[in-house]
Amino acid sequence: MSISEFAPPVTSADQRVERFRSVYDSSYPDIEAYCRRRLGSDRSADAVSETFLTAWRRFDDVPADRSARLWLFGVARRVVANQVRTTSRQDKLHLRLVEQPTTQQPGADVMADSMLEQSPFIQALAMLSPDDAEVLRLVAWEELSHADAGVVLDCTANAVGVRMHRARQRLADALAQIPNQIDQTSPLTNEQNHD
Amino acid sequence: MTDADDRLRFANPIPPSAVSSPSVERSARADALFQEITMTDPNASAAPSPFSPPPSRESIAKANAPRRAPRKILAGTAAAAAAVIVGFGAVSLIPGSTTPAAAAMIDAAQQTQAADSGTITITLNVSDDVNAADSGEFTLTTNYSGDDLSARIDASNEAGLDGETPQVRVVDNVLYIEEGSTWYAVEDQRIMSLLGTFGLPTDVRQTMSAGVVELIELADNAVESADGSFTATVTAAEVKQVADGFPGFGLIANETLPADAAEHELELAVELDEDGLIDTVTLSGADADDTGAFHADVTIDFDDLDAGVIIEAPADAEVIDLDSFGDGELFDN
């Protein structure tokens, strides 16, 4: 049985809006942050809009319980991937983010983007495969459990654990290629009992 | 929990505390977006939307809406059919060492190319979770005999396209176009020069088969997995170089070709028939981002090779004077 089968049918326009409002209000901050973390401030708005518009149009498929948030993460993940792919394959995320205007007063968005630019972890993440980077970010940044990340990635919690293990190893390898910015002896490959 | 996990969390550009307490500006933006979204028709999923990302890939369906008016057929259907066909031509050979299996495959392709008549069916299946309107199945069926041909496209997709395009035939250098129960004939040879600008080949047999031969020649790592069954890989960059514009080939190559992974591999499968000719060629491509959002494959079936396919001119076709269309604008360029 899929999680969508738990969703009650939407019976009227008003009920649809009401239910959508509930899902929207409870999920918007997380989805908005998810998109901004991956695309930066300047490109995240379209992805957020596209994600929620997809939910609005496919609302009968949106789970009624807390799984709605995970369903939206799944949609956002595909929207972000599509935007990265179609905008420009050459315009990698970390390269775009360094183009922030220097004359702008550093608000929260700029500081966040600057953080993306400067952190060796971000540079190392950009060197990983999309799958490896995504599983690390879902757990570390979106603070999802392995089980919840599995829903987003359409795999089991155990598979997430395996992916995390491998991704940490590859992140350690990537960090080793970034000189003089981090303690290279960090025990990145140690296991973590997340769930 | 490790020190590295803590560092990764610390590197979060939007810490959880910032998410739980959004700014006034961000809250206002969220409210405005909610109002915009809920004012849209939830059933208008195929319609363009200001929220939708711009079209990211060409869809052959966009050029092949069924049941056009006669005037549009001339510039639309015939051009679409011609545009479909152009992908088979204009190819270049890429030399390289080949496996014995690859050599056998190439030989079969060249023999297939030599057939004077037959049916070539190209089926493109697209699955796109993000741009759902692009998902669907598109089939181009072409019968050919010498320089004569008949072609029809059958398309169905998530955007609501459903049905066959009018058939196009070329018999003895006369172009015939179907519209409902009526056939129109264009005897004016200028139509051939017009279609030539879209790449309609003067030698259908050679041109249509050449693209397939060229694709197979790329697969120099082929192995024969079973008797008459070959598998190989080709890179998206190779396919793009050889067959950009080919229905399906171009789409697959472009969507699976990240700039930093030109060697991204696509799967090629070739089946031979009992006569040792090409029966089926399948090229499959998945999303290079590996998100599972996009997958497409194109299958080319060869049937009735040298079986004497007959392409007949429709009876009682209404002859069209091209100069009566669009004030002669068809030939302005």
Side-chain angles (χ1 to χ4, degrees):
Chain A
M1 181 177 289
S2 68
I3 56 176
S4 62
E5 293 179 52
F6 292 105
V10 175
T11 56
S12 73
D14 287 345
Q15 286 178 320
R16 185 188 185 96
V17 172
E18 187 179 344
R19 271 198 61 214
F20 183 71
R21 166 62 87 179
S22 174
V23 171
Y24 184 88
D25 285 348
S26 61
S27 304
Y28 180 89
D30 288 337
I31 299 302
E32 194 269 350
Y34 174 94
C35 295
R36 200 147 44 103
R37 283 167 182 143
R38 281 146 184 81
L39 297 171
S41 304
D42 55 342
R43 290 199 299 176
S44 61
D46 287 346
V48 174
S49 298
E50 179 66 16
T51 299
F52 281 106
L53 187 63
T54 299
W56 172 245
R57 287 172 171 164
R58 296 180 54 189
F59 201 53
D60 290 342
D61 295 334
V62 179
D65 55 13
R66 57 180 289 275
S67 298
R69 174 170 166 267
L70 302 179
W71 189 92
L72 283 163
F73 271 128
V75 174
R77 172 172 161 260
R78 287 181 165 83
V79 169
V80 166
N82 187 58
Q83 186 171 122
V84 170
R85 181 179 64 224
T86 57
T87 301
S88 172
R89 296 184 188 282
Q90 298 170 345
D91 181 11
K92 287 299 185 185
L93 176 59
H94 65 289
L95 292 178
R96 179 175 177 84
L97 291 172
V98 302
E99 295 171 358
Q100 295 298 319
T102 55
T103 56
Q104 186 176 351
Q105 291 297 319
D109 289 349
V110 176
M111 290 178 67
D113 290 345
S114 176
M115 196 169 178
L116 278 177
E117 168 193 345
Q118 294 170 2
S119 167
F121 276 94
I122 304 303
Q123 295 177 44
L125 277 173
M127 297 165 68
L128 302 183
S129 72
D131 278 353
D132 284 347
E134 185 64 4
V135 72
L136 288 173
R137 286 183 298 220
L138 283 174
V139 172
W141 292 1
E142 264 57 56
E143 300 189 318
L144 299 185
S145 68
H146 287 191
D148 285 353
V151 173
V152 177
L153 297 172
D154 196 22
C155 64
T156 66
N158 286 339
V160 170
V162 172
R163 288 189 191 183
M164 283 290 293
H165 175 71
R166 291 172 178 164
R168 279 198 202 96
Q169 290 180 317
R170 290 169 182 145
L171 183 65
D173 293 342
L175 280 166
Q177 298 176 38
I178 302 174
N180 302 322
Q181 295 196 55
I182 193 170
D183 177 9
Q184 304 293 345
T185 61
S186 293
L188 274 167
T189 57
N190 287 353
E191 281 297 332
Q192 128 187 26
N193 184 11
H194 195 278
D195 279 333
Chain B
M1 187 70 67
T2 68
D3 179 50
D5 289 324
D6 285 339
R7 288 188 173 191
L8 192 54
R9 290 183 198 282
F10 183 74
N12 188 344
I14 319 285
S17 58
V19 177
S20 58
S21 55
S23 65
V24 173
E25 177 192 357
R26 205 169 298 284
S27 297
R29 198 184 306 162
D31 287 340
L33 176 61
F34 179 85
Q35 295 300 328
E36 271 189 284
I37 289 176
T38 52
M39 287 178 66
T40 63
D41 179 1
N43 298 315
S45 60
S49 159
F51 303 110
S52 299
S56 60
R57 56 184 68 107
E58 294 181 3
S59 166
I60 63 171
K62 292 174 183 173
N64 297 296
R67 300 304 174 195
R68 298 168 188 268
R71 182 179 304 183
K72 292 182 178 177
I73 290 172
L74 282 177
T77 304
V84 162
I85 292 168
V86 66
F88 289 95
V91 292
S92 60
L93 297 176
I94 298 179
S97 61
T98 58
T99 64
M105 215 167 57
I106 292 170
D107 181 60
Q110 291 172 340
Q111 289 186 52
T112 304
Q113 185 182 11
D116 191 56
S117 65
T119 299
I120 302 176
T121 306
I122 303 169
T123 304
L124 172 63
N125 272 294
V126 178
S127 172
D128 190 334
D129 289 350
V130 177
N131 292 331
D134 285 348
S135 296
E137 181 174 289
F138 313 91
T139 302
L140 167 67
T141 304
T142 302
N143 299 309
Y144 69 94
S145 179
D147 292 340
D148 296 343
L149 75 102
S150 67
R152 187 196 297 276
I153 297 171
D154 190 359
S156 61
N157 68 0
E158 298 290 331
L161 192 60
D162 183 20
E164 294 179 333
T165 59
Q167 193 180 86
V168 176
R169 296 184 193 175
V170 175
V171 181
D172 294 334
N173 288 326
V174 177
L175 176 68
Y176 298 90
I177 303 156
E178 181 187 29
E179 170 61 10
S181 58
T182 304
W183 280 91
Y184 297 90
V186 185
E187 299 175 344
D188 193 322
Q189 289 304 297
R190 290 179 298 172
I191 193 66
M192 294 305 171
S193 64
L194 178 70
L195 292 177
T197 64
F198 298 106
L200 184 70
T202 55
D203 186 328
V204 174
R205 170 175 57 83
Q206 289 293 339
T207 308
M208 291 200 63
S209 302
V212 176
V213 172
E214 194 65 17
L215 177 67
I216 288 175
E217 286 180 335
L218 287 171
D220 54 11
N221 59 358
V223 296
E224 188 167 10
S225 52
D227 189 23
S229 298
F230 301 85
T231 57
T233 57
V234 291
T235 68
E238 288 174 331
V239 174
K240 185 177 172 62
Q241 175 188 350
V242 170
D244 201 9
F246 189 103
F249 287 10
L251 176 72
I252 291 173
N254 286 322
E255 287 303 316
T256 55
L257 181 60
D260 57 350
E263 297 306 307
H264 184 76
E265 291 183 339
L266 310 178
E267 296 178 0
L268 179 69
V270 176
E271 299 278 342
L272 305 189
D273 64 18
E274 56 189 11
D275 296 324
L277 303 176
I278 300 290
D279 183 32
T280 303
V281 176
T282 302
L283 178 68
S284 303
D287 195 321
D289 294 337
D290 206 19
T291 62
F294 175 84
H295 183 90
D297 57 68
V298 59
T299 302
I300 307 159
D301 291 305
F302 291 84
D303 297 294
D304 302 327
L305 296 171
D306 276 334
V309 172
I310 298 174
I311 314 294
E312 292 184 320
D316 302 325
E318 179 181 331
V319 177
I320 293 177
D321 177 7
L322 288 181
D323 289 327
S324 67
F325 281 87
D327 299 324
E329 64 184 13
L330 287 173
F331 299 101
D332 283 351
N333 296 319

